Amino acid sequence: MQTNEDLIGRLAASVCTELRLAPREVCQAAVQLFEKDMVSAWARSVLRPAEICGLLVGTSCGHWDIFSAWNVTLPDTPKPPPVPPTPPPPSAPTARLLFLTDLHWDQAYTPGSDPACKEPLCCRGGRAQGPPHTGAGYWGEYSKCDLPLHTIENLLQHLARAPPFQLVYWTGDLPAHNVWQQSRADQLRALRTLTALLRKHLAPLPVYPAVGNHEAVPVNGFPPPYVQGNQSSAWLYHAMADAWQEWLPPPALETLRASGFYTLQLRPGLRLVSLNMNFCSEANFWLLINATDPAGQLQWLVGVLQAAEEQEEKVHIIGHIPPAHCLKSWSWNYYRIVNRFEGTIAAQFFGHTHVDEFEMFYDEETLSRPVSVAFVAPSVTTYISLNPGYRVYQLDGDHPASSHMVLDHETYILNLTEANLPGAVPRWQQLYRAREAYGLPSVFPADWDRLIRRFQGDERLFQFFWYLFHKGHPPREPCREGCKTALLCALRTGRSADPSLCHALGTRLPFHQIQGLWRQRRLC
């Protein structure tokens, strides 16, 4: 006798196949992997049948919006008067911050294999059909492919020879995009293998990680702490704590084991907060049960920032998913927190989108004064059709009046066209430096706000940004009209579903149309 879970699984596999979301065997494998956890989450939620259909298939099938509004509690302590940032004296020391994100190691990557397969992830398995040199390149491929381990190790060998870094942040997404066939053993192997490589090549520097959405099985499945037993995330968080115990102090390991986030003091005057952004994710189906501040993370963040303000510490925030990609209430609450603590938060660093972008934060009263910027760095992986890349931030260094803010940043790539030539040696090279490329006097929030306005009127500058946005390998189709409007809108807002900031661009397109245009361009 078939269970309800079996019936739902058969229906989901049929819908996936009929809509041609993936080949039949991929649909069946994905449903088998996802169905138990998703059915558990749905059974504990308040979803009606039409809402389930809308969640699975889209708005053509039904509407779903069960996430009610909620608010964190901000402290009664008055907000300190805002002080505009100023560059440090020329003689002040600087610090180099290495930022790595979205490595996506494909354990089955095979040079010479088919880069144009029918599955969601290619460059794995048998040889490509066609003339010589048509298969996946040795170092990576411009297609829907992730990276072989030897490319990641080559990057780390290159970084070990680079000028010294003072900090390293690593914001997750370690496994590949073969999400329909992963197991916990696969994810733990990726975690331990990549952690060992970073430790080998970057020691003695500690590496400060954040949790990505691809670390879970199934992908995006991060239940809040009230989900106990085998369906909880304990298997992952405990493995991370064991792997990273040489990098993190005991109090940070304690909250990492519990909920996947932590804080620590990097040095006197500078604190790090690593957020588990899966608790804000639209794709985290466990939040269907209750999406109100999962794990109490944002209220915890308020407490950390309040204590830092009282102790006159500056704070760096790292995470995987950028705030504007979050569920609306979570995103808007985070925006409020950044506004309240604009004098304490020195910088925000995220990944996830695989491309090179940023998200602006403005004062809530007028939405006109820039208060912060979330830097969104490009991926190490090629997925989809990109050069491998990484980011280096130049920070205000250690001195008594340090702001610990970003003073400039550089993006480096491996040009796959050159690297995959017969007999070539891979060469990681600087693609651009932000201040030089865009003619910026500094890289404070107001500078990025002015740059967006320049993008509006200077088409050549915007198309140059589009080129850098894709790490030097843009799609053949240029970004014009609706695409440009959608991208500029995305840059202007660090909170989701916010039409007010798009109106400031003078666009006549409805906000829902802008969102639709931009989501077509997004990477996951």
Side-chain angles (χ1 to χ4, degrees):
M1 182 176 178
Q2 287 189 324
T3 64
N4 288 339
E5 185 177 302
D6 294 330
L7 293 172
I8 291 173
R10 287 180 57 193
L11 174 62
S14 176
V15 169
C16 173
T17 304
E18 290 298 320
L19 293 180
R20 299 182 181 179
L21 301 180
R24 179 180 297 275
E25 59 274 15
V26 173
C27 289
Q28 292 172 341
V31 167
Q32 186 175 6
L33 185 61
F34 280 75
E35 63 181 351
K36 182 177 181 180
D37 284 356
M38 292 197 75
V39 169
S40 294
W42 288 341
R44 297 172 65 173
S45 75
V46 293
L47 280 173
R48 296 185 296 272
E51 291 172 324
I52 292 176
C53 191
L55 174 62
L56 279 174
V57 179
T59 55
S60 61
C61 179
H63 175 73
W64 71 282
D65 184 11
I66 65 167
F67 300 114
S68 58
W70 50 272
N71 290 306
V72 294
T73 302
L74 295 178
D76 294 330
T77 310
K79 174 181 174 179
V83 179
T86 56
S91 60
T94 59
R96 280 165 49 85
L97 162 62
L98 171 63
F99 189 89
L100 300 172
T101 190
D102 296 271
L103 275 65
H104 288 292
W105 166 37
D106 186 357
Q107 301 180 35
Y109 187 97
T110 307
S113 61
D114 186 3
C117 67
K118 296 180 180 180
E119 286 75 31
L121 183 66
C122 300
C123 300
R124 48 206 337 258
R127 305 292 297 181
Q129 301 297 315
H133 310 301
T134 58
Y138 182 77
W139 297 105
E141 187 58 52
Y142 295 127
S143 188
K144 49 180 182 177
C145 305
D146 282 317
L147 287 179
L149 191 62
H150 57 256
T151 302
I152 296 172
E153 181 150 31
N154 181 268
L155 165 61
L156 294 172
Q157 290 167 344
H158 154 78
L159 292 172
R161 298 189 298 267
F165 301 103
Q166 283 69 52
L167 287 169
V168 184
Y169 297 160
W170 179 31
T171 59
D173 268 17
L174 318 185
H177 287 84
N178 58 323
V179 298
W180 68 96
Q181 55 183 194
Q182 291 174 339
S183 67
R184 290 184 177 183
D186 294 328
Q187 312 306 74
L188 294 180
R189 183 184 180 203
L191 167 67
R192 291 163 182 157
T193 300
L194 295 175
T195 297
L197 278 180
L198 265 71
R199 186 178 292 114
K200 172 184 175 182
H201 293 287
L202 299 180
L205 268 182
V207 176
Y208 300 109
V211 182
N213 63 298
H214 275 265
E215 273 77 281
V217 176
V219 66
N220 300 312
F222 286 84
Y226 56 73
V227 176
Q228 300 289 313
N230 191 50
Q231 287 184 305
S232 77
S233 292
W235 67 273
L236 178 61
Y237 298 152
H238 283 253
M240 288 176 167
D242 290 343
W244 301 338
Q245 60 184 326
E246 294 181 22
W247 294 336
L248 305 180
L253 292 170
E254 182 179 351
T255 56
L256 174 64
R257 284 192 180 94
S259 302
F261 54 83
Y262 63 87
T263 184
L264 55 85
Q265 187 184 62
L266 292 168
R267 49 183 56 96
L270 180 60
R271 174 164 295 277
L272 175 68
V273 170
S274 177
L275 294 177
N276 186 348
M277 300 300 286
N278 296 291
F279 290 146
C280 82
S281 172
E282 296 175 341
N284 186 358
F285 49 85
W286 285 105
L287 301 187
L288 294 170
I289 303 173
N290 186 345
T292 301
D293 194 15
Q297 180 176 218
L298 284 187
Q299 199 62 60
W300 168 85
L301 175 63
V302 170
V304 171
L305 292 173
Q306 179 62 34
E309 180 180 277
E310 293 169 357
Q311 296 164 22
E312 298 186 344
E313 290 180 321
K314 298 298 182 183
V315 174
H316 285 176
I317 295 176
I318 63 173
H320 183 67
I321 300 171
H325 288 63
C326 292
L327 291 167
K328 182 177 178 179
S329 284
W330 200 103
S331 181
W332 283 56
N333 273 288
Y334 180 79
Y335 203 93
R336 287 179 61 218
I337 294 169
V338 172
N339 264 261
R340 168 58 183 82
F341 294 101
E342 63 172 290
T344 297
I345 299 171
Q348 305 177 63
F349 305 98
F350 298 92
H352 181 62
T353 69
H354 296 195
V355 288
D356 187 340
E357 54 185 326
F358 57 93
E359 294 177 357
M360 292 297 304
F361 290 70
Y362 297 90
D363 70 295
E364 289 191 297
E365 292 76 17
T366 68
L367 293 179
S368 62
R369 181 177 63 86
V371 301
S372 188
V373 58
F375 294 100
V376 182
S379 61
V380 174
T381 187
T382 54
Y383 192 90
I384 298 175
S385 296
L386 300 167
N387 285 308
Y390 69 93
R391 170 68 55 79
V392 177
Y393 293 96
Q394 181 187 8
L395 307 176
D396 192 4
D398 291 331
H399 58 92
S402 178
S403 68
H404 298 288
M405 294 183 73
V406 175
L407 304 179
D408 205 352
H409 68 64
E410 308 162 7
T411 295
Y412 292 80
I413 63 164
L414 176 66
N415 186 315
L416 288 179
T417 302
E418 297 175 358
N420 284 329
L421 290 173
V425 175
R427 184 172 67 92
W428 296 86
Q429 57 192 286
Q430 185 184 109
L431 179 64
Y432 78 102
R433 182 188 289 263
R435 288 180 58 186
E436 178 185 36
Y438 296 127
L440 302 175
S442 56
V443 291
F444 298 142
D447 298 291
W448 296 104
D449 174 63
R450 285 189 289 267
L451 182 61
I452 294 173
R453 300 177 191 277
R454 287 170 60 201
F455 286 158
Q456 280 187 276
D458 189 334
E459 188 63 22
R460 173 179 285 186
L461 180 64
F462 175 76
Q463 294 303 330
F464 180 53
F465 168 73
W466 184 244
Y467 171 81
L468 299 178
F469 179 87
H470 290 94
K471 292 185 285 181
H473 194 260
R476 293 180 181 178
E477 178 188 356
C479 183
R480 304 192 190 280
E481 299 176 347
C483 167
K484 179 177 178 180
T485 298
L487 176 49
L488 294 182
C489 176
L491 298 178
R492 269 191 64 84
T493 178
R495 62 188 185 189
S496 60
D498 186 6
S500 55
L501 285 164
C502 296
H503 293 159
L505 296 169
T507 176
R508 297 179 181 177
L509 289 175
F511 183 66
H512 69 85
Q513 188 175 347
I514 293 173
Q515 281 191 312
L517 284 165
W518 187 237
R519 280 173 177 164
Q520 293 173 19
R521 298 266 180 178
R522 285 306 218 198
L523 294 167
C524 298

